[in-house]
Structure formats: C-alpha cells, structure tokens
C-alpha cells in the first residue's frame, strides 16, 4: 500500500521538496503500514509559499468574479470525476471506510468549490444615500489566508477553506495535519489542472511549529484553523498579536436530546451516526445523548441491537461500515477514556474494547447511566464512545445541555415541533438539528459558539470571514471648510 506523492509540498503551482526538513511518515492505521514519507516545510519552503501567494493574489483579485468562479467550478468537476481515487487516498490516510469517503469527503469538497464558484459573481456592495453626497461599499479580499487543518476530514477541511477564500479573491497557504498530509496535495494538483494560477493555493507540510510560523508571518492576513480547543486558544492568541482576522472551528461535547415522543428508530439512527460515523472522530458529534426517562429502556435496547450489527473491518472493503481510529495514539487515548468511564461507574451497554490484534480498531461503545460530572460526559473523546444520560423535564435538559464550555452543535428529537423550536432557541450551539443529526450541507453556515469557536464556514456567512468592507464617501458638492 503506497500513496507516495511526487513531493512533500505544493508551492507556486509546482511540487516542491526540501530534504532539510524533518522527515515524517503517513501511516495506514488499519495495518500500521507506512504509505508515504514526507518532509516538514523548512523556512525556505514557507518563504517561497508565502511570497508566491502574495505575488499571485492581486491579479487574481482583479479578475472578474465569474472568471474565478469558472476555474473553481472546473475543479469541482475534476474532483467529482476523480472521486474514487481521492476517496481511496483519504481512506488510506485516515483509516475511514471507503463506504464513507466515497460519499462524504471529496464530494463535500466539490460541493464547496461549486457553491462558492456560483456565489462569487453575486457579491456586491451597497450604495448609501447621504442627502446630497453619497457613499458606497466595496467587498475586498483579505489577501493571504493561512489554513490549518485537523486530521478527521482532511480534503473536506482543505476545500471548505480554499473555496470561499479563492472565490472572493484571496490566496491560500494550507497546512494539513501531519497525521493526514496527502489529500490536500491532491486538491492542489486539481486546482492547478483546473487553471488556478500558480501561487494561489499552496500546501506546506509540518506540525504545530510550521502552523505557528504561518500564523505569525506578516505576509498572512487571515488565519482559519480547524482543530482542538487547546490549539485554538494558542492560534487565536497568536493571530490577535498580529491583529489578524481569524476563524476557529474547534471541538465540542454536543448534546443530542431525545424526548420520549420521538420516533425511536430515527432517534437511535441519529445517535449512532452522531457517535460512530468516522469512528466517532467528528467535531460536531452528539456525544452526550440525553434520553427522556420514558423512552430510556426502549432506546438502549434498540441501540444495543443495532450497534451489534455494525461491520468493523478493512477500510478499503466497501462492505466495511466502521474502520479504525486515525492512529494508534488516538486509539490509546479513546481506550483510556473507556477505562475512565468504567471506573467512574458508568454502565457499559456494548463495546468497550480494542478489536483485533493489529490496527487502531475500537468497538462501538455505549455507556448508560452517565452523569454530568463524569469525565466521559465532559471531555471530547473523539472516538466511538456514546454517553447516554437520563432526564425528566425540558427545563432540566436545557440547563444540563448548556452546562459546558463547548457550544458547537446540538440536536433535538421530538414529534412536537413547537417544543423543538422552543428548545433549540435556548441551546447554546452554533448548529442545531431537529429530527436529524450531523448533516452539514455547504449551503448552511457551520461553526461554534463559546469555546467551540468563532466565525462561520459555508453558506452566505463565509463572505464575512473572507472579505472586508471598504467604505467610499463620494463628495458631490463643494468642500465646506470653516477656515
Ligand atoms: P489539533 O488541535 O491537535 O491540530 C489541529 C491543527 O493545528 C493541526 O494541523 C496541528 O498540526 C496544528 N497545530 C497544532 N499546534 C499549533 C500551533 N501552536 N500553531 C498552529 N497550528 C498548530 O487537532 P487534531 O488534528 O487532533 O483534530 C481534532 C480536533 O479538531 C478535535 O478537537 C475536533 O473537535 C476538532 N475539529 C473541529 C472541527 C470544526 O469544524 N469545528 C472539524 C473537525 C475537527 P499537527 O497536528 O500536524 O501537529
């Protein structure tokens, strides 16, 4: 199994290598096999990427938006045409099953490119009548945007950042997670083939130090991070030092609230999707499943039955529904939380152990009788571990759902739609689902409140985060000077 790219970086429209950078490997976590060997970006590579981005951006911004859109649209078509190839690459790099990557990763990236390709030409300013004189506003790009990605949705994260940034006239330097370095390079190749001028989308490899070097560089105007809250605190602070615009897409411990009038099968299905899809490595997962006491036993019964049917196995086998965690280290971390859950007195309903001799597989795990103070109910586990908590009243569950520093997402299942809207209005979360969970179409803004982040990706809202407003006052009469 090899997925060796032509070189570690993609800079100024071409592959780039500097063997002076520290070597690192990308590993297929189902088997432990090394699939690629790369080098971290050196200061020389970063310099080239940032200079190329700065040099290319003004001419790109000066193009008619419809021309920028045409290139991005072509890239979306190329991504779709190569969906299988890109999905295999993503499966090798992340361990996620091909069954998922075929529909959720490159496909979502292509949607973003297509959406923002169409959005770019519709962006206009305002005219502001002032009674005689007038003013107008221009929407301008920010300049060079640094994108820093997490390892759970590598090509989707790269595309969700690149598409709006490029559509609105910016250049991008993107650093993927060192754990999943490969698919951002494939995106760079596709954008170049679609006709994106050199220097507008650069990929540089490396860990936190390379990310930090980008954030601190004076050539960078905006920073967009997808990552954990601790990293977000550091990156946001460093961006503030340079008075730079910042989007922070961070972690969560989201509540999924199931009232006892909910459709049982749908509620169970959503709870499983919201905890086991991508082996639970999704920021918006509903990892605190609050079930109203009247439905609790039926819910746990069906959940255990359906969880037992999940097919764990080799991620490249299309029949496999659940793969390994992204790395052996992540599997250890998740198993540590499972041990802690047991020690704290949560009741293990199913799973709870490693699966197989090799590979980072952890069984889909459900804990019942979880209480709010337990660590498994407070910390983001980022693995296939569901915590089920009981509740009695609407008022009580809203207070408990909000009693967390996080505020990424939330879900409500009930047949009483008036209650659903009433509850959602009071939940402290950036994205809420009613009788659905974890669907993130590109048309809908996505992002967190509280410690889960600032800014929004996708939807019309992304415009605010990749452009700035210039106000122009137009004097139409004489200047009224008192001296
Ligand atoms: P990390 O926070 O560990 O890393 C995120 C990225 O930041 C990586 O590329 C990392 O590099 C880089 N980084 C680390 N330190 C710094 C620094 N000081 N300056 C600049 N960059 C730095 O997150 P994970 O990769 O472990 O991803 C999991 C987390 O991401 C979870 O908390 C999850 O909730 C969150 N996430 C949020 C999403 C959202 O949209 N809200 C979506 C997906 C995930 P490297 O890892 O290479 O060292």
């Amino acid at each position: 199994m090899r997925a060796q790219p032509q070189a570690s970086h993609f800079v100024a429209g071409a592959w780039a290598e500097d063997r002076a950078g520290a070597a690192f490997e990308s590993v297929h976590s189902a088997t432990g096999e090394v699939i690629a060997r790369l080098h971290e970006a050196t200061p020389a590579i970063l310099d080239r990427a940032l200079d190329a981005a700065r040099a290319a951006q003004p001419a790109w911004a000066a193009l008619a938006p419809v021309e920028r859109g045409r290139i991005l649209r072509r890239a979306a078509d190329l991504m779709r045409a190569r969906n299988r190839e890109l999905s295999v690459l993503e499966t090798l790099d992340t361990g996620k099953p091909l069954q998922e990557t075929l529909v959720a990763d490159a496909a979502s990236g292509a949607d973003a490119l297509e959406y923002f390709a169409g959005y770019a030409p519709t962006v206009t300013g305002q005219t502001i009548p002032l009674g005689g004189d007038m003013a107008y506003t221009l929407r301008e790009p920010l300049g060079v945007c640094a994108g820093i990605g997490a390892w759970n949705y590598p090509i989707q994260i790269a595309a969700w950042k690149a598409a709006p940034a490029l559509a609105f006239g910016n250049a991008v330097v993107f650093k993927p997670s060192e754990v999943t370095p490969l698919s951002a390079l494939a995106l760079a190749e596709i954008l170049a083939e679609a006709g994106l001028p050199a220097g507008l989308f650069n990929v540089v490899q490396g860990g936190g130090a390379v990310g930090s070097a980008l954030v601190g560089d004076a050539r960078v105007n905006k920073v967009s991070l997808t990552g954990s809250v601790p990293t977000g605190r550091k990156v946001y602070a460093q961006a503030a030092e340079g008075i730079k615009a910042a989007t922070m897409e961070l972690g969560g411990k989201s509540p999924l609230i199931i009232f006892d009038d909910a459709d049982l099968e749908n509620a169970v299905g959503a709870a499983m999707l919201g905890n086991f899809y991508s082996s639970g490595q999704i920021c918006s997962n509903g990892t605190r499943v609050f079930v109203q006491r009247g439905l609790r036993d039926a819910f746990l019964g069906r959940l255990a039955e359906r969880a037992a049917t999940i097919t764990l196995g080799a991620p490249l086998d299309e029949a496999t529904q659940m793969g390994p965690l992204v790395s052996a280290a992540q599997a250890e971390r998740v198993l540590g939380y499972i041990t802690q859950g047991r020690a704290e007195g949560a009741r293990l309903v199913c799973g709870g152990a490693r699966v197989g001799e090799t590979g980072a597989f952890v069984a889909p795990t459900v804990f019942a009788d979880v209480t709010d103070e337990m660590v498994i109910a407070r910390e983001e586990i980022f693995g296939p571990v569901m915590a089920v908590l009981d509740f009695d009243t609407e008022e009580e569950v809203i207070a408990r759902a909000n009693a967390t520093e996080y505020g990424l997402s939330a879900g409500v299942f009930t047949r009483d739609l008036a209650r659903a809207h009433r509850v959602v209005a009071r939940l402290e979360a950036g994205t809420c689902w009613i009788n659905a969970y974890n669907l993130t179409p590109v048309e809908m803004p996505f992002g967190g409140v509280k410690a889960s982040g600032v800014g929004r990706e996708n939807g019309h809202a992304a415009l605010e985060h990749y452009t700035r407003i210039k106000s122009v006052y137009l004097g139409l009469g004489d200047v009224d000077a008192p001296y």
Side-chain angles (χ1 to χ4, degrees):
M1 260 183 235
R2 294 290 287 164
Q4 184 67 38
Q6 285 185 47
S8 300
H9 321 285
F10 197 91
V11 170
W15 293 98
E17 194 63 271
D18 182 348
R19 291 179 181 281
F24 69 99
E25 294 171 339
S26 178
V27 170
H28 182 51
S29 62
T31 59
E33 281 169 87
V34 174
I35 56 167
R37 291 194 163 81
L38 298 96
H39 293 269
E40 290 200 18
T42 53
I45 289 281
L46 283 184
D47 254 354
R48 281 185 52 206
L50 288 163
D51 282 346
R54 276 240 86 80
Q57 190 265 331
W60 176 244
L63 276 186
V66 76
E67 291 183 49
R68 293 200 299 266
R70 201 172 297 136
I71 291 170
L72 298 185
R73 174 58 215 241
R74 228 178 276 141
D77 291 344
L78 286 171
M79 270 182 105
R80 291 210 178 89
R82 290 183 202 159
N83 185 47
R84 178 161 286 272
E85 186 186 316
L86 293 168
S87 303
V88 168
L89 181 67
E90 202 72 317
T91 285
L92 288 174
D93 214 8
T94 60
K96 296 196 291 181
L98 191 56
Q99 191 185 90
E100 283 188 19
T101 53
L102 281 170
V103 295
D105 294 78
S108 158
D111 284 355
L113 288 165
E114 184 174 7
Y115 178 86
F116 287 104
Y119 186 2
T122 72
V123 174
T124 57
Q126 287 180 305
T127 56
I128 303 161
L130 296 170
D133 290 352
M134 65 169 289
Y136 63 91
T137 61
L138 296 169
R139 276 277 174 192
E140 296 183 334
L142 300 173
V144 174
C145 303
I148 301 175
W151 42 253
N152 60 340
Y153 277 82
I155 199 165
Q156 183 194 86
I157 290 169
W160 280 18
K161 296 188 191 309
L166 295 171
F168 302 137
N170 302 281
V172 177
V173 179
F174 186 79
K175 186 203 87 65
S177 163
E178 245 185 336
V179 182
T180 54
L182 302 178
S183 58
L185 292 167
L187 176 64
E189 244 187 329
I190 283 175
L191 284 164
E193 195 178 327
L196 187 74
L200 290 168
F201 184 72
N202 307 275
V203 176
V204 295
Q205 306 291 350
V210 170
S212 176
L214 278 179
V215 177
D217 195 284
R219 287 165 285 189
V220 168
N221 305 98
K222 191 233 155 85
V223 177
S224 178
L225 168 79
T226 298
S228 61
V229 172
T231 302
R233 285 189 213 285
K234 287 188 222 158
V235 173
Y236 198 28
Q238 200 185 358
E241 194 69 36
I243 322 285
K244 295 178 187 184
T247 299
M248 297 286 130
E249 291 288 351
L250 310 176
K253 190 76 194 176
S254 301
L256 171 55
I257 302 171
I258 298 169
F259 287 96
D260 56 17
D261 68 340
D263 180 291
L264 179 63
E265 287 305 314
N266 286 336
V268 169
M272 291 174 73
L273 281 170
N275 280 274
F276 301 147
Y277 205 71
S278 295
S279 296
Q281 302 164 115
I282 299 183
C283 52
S284 50
N285 271 354
T287 46
R288 288 183 296 147
V289 180
F290 290 94
V291 183
Q292 204 165 17
R293 222 170 287 271
L295 194 68
R296 203 266 309 257
D297 291 346
F299 179 87
L300 287 173
R302 271 308 277 152
L303 182 59
E305 279 168 21
R306 288 178 63 176
T309 69
I310 295 177
T311 317
L312 244 82
L316 283 172
D317 180 346
E318 270 184 67
T320 293
Q321 294 172 320
M322 201 167 142
L325 279 295
V326 75
S327 63
Q330 185 64 10
E332 287 308 323
R333 214 177 143 248
V334 170
L335 289 165
Y337 275 111
I338 291 173
T339 304
Q340 200 157 6
R342 281 183 152 139
E344 284 180 307
R347 174 162 61 92
L348 191 65
V349 174
C350 60
R354 179 188 288 286
V355 178
E357 304 289 298
T358 52
F361 292 91
V362 174
T365 298
V366 176
F367 279 112
D369 303 340
V370 177
T371 56
D372 297 349
E373 323 69 59
M374 291 182 186
V375 171
I376 57 166
R378 287 190 285 111
E379 296 185 10
E380 186 182 46
I381 299 175
F382 231 56
V385 182
M386 186 193 308
V388 179
L389 304 94
D390 310 333
F391 77 95
D392 291 301
T393 70
E394 181 179 318
E395 201 58 31
E396 169 208 339
V397 79
I398 291 169
R400 289 171 60 196
N402 287 337
T404 166
E405 67 161 342
Y406 295 112
L408 192 56
S409 313
V412 177
F413 270 78
T414 174
R415 287 194 173 91
D416 178 349
L417 282 184
R419 171 158 67 188
H421 292 293
R422 191 166 68 227
V423 171
V424 152
R426 293 178 61 195
L427 289 174
E428 295 165 359
T431 304
C432 294
W433 290 276
I434 295 174
N435 295 333
Y437 204 79
N438 256 359
L439 301 174
T440 53
V442 66
E443 296 89 342
M444 185 175 87
F446 182 79
V449 301
K450 295 158 74 180
S452 291
V454 288
R456 290 292 177 270
E457 294 194 309
N458 293 341
H460 282 196
L463 179 69
E464 299 301 328
H465 304 287
Y466 285 101
T467 61
R468 62 187 177 210
I469 289 173
K470 177 179 277 171
S471 297
V472 182
Y473 187 106
L474 185 56
L476 294 172
D478 294 329
V479 172
D480 183 14
Y483 32 74

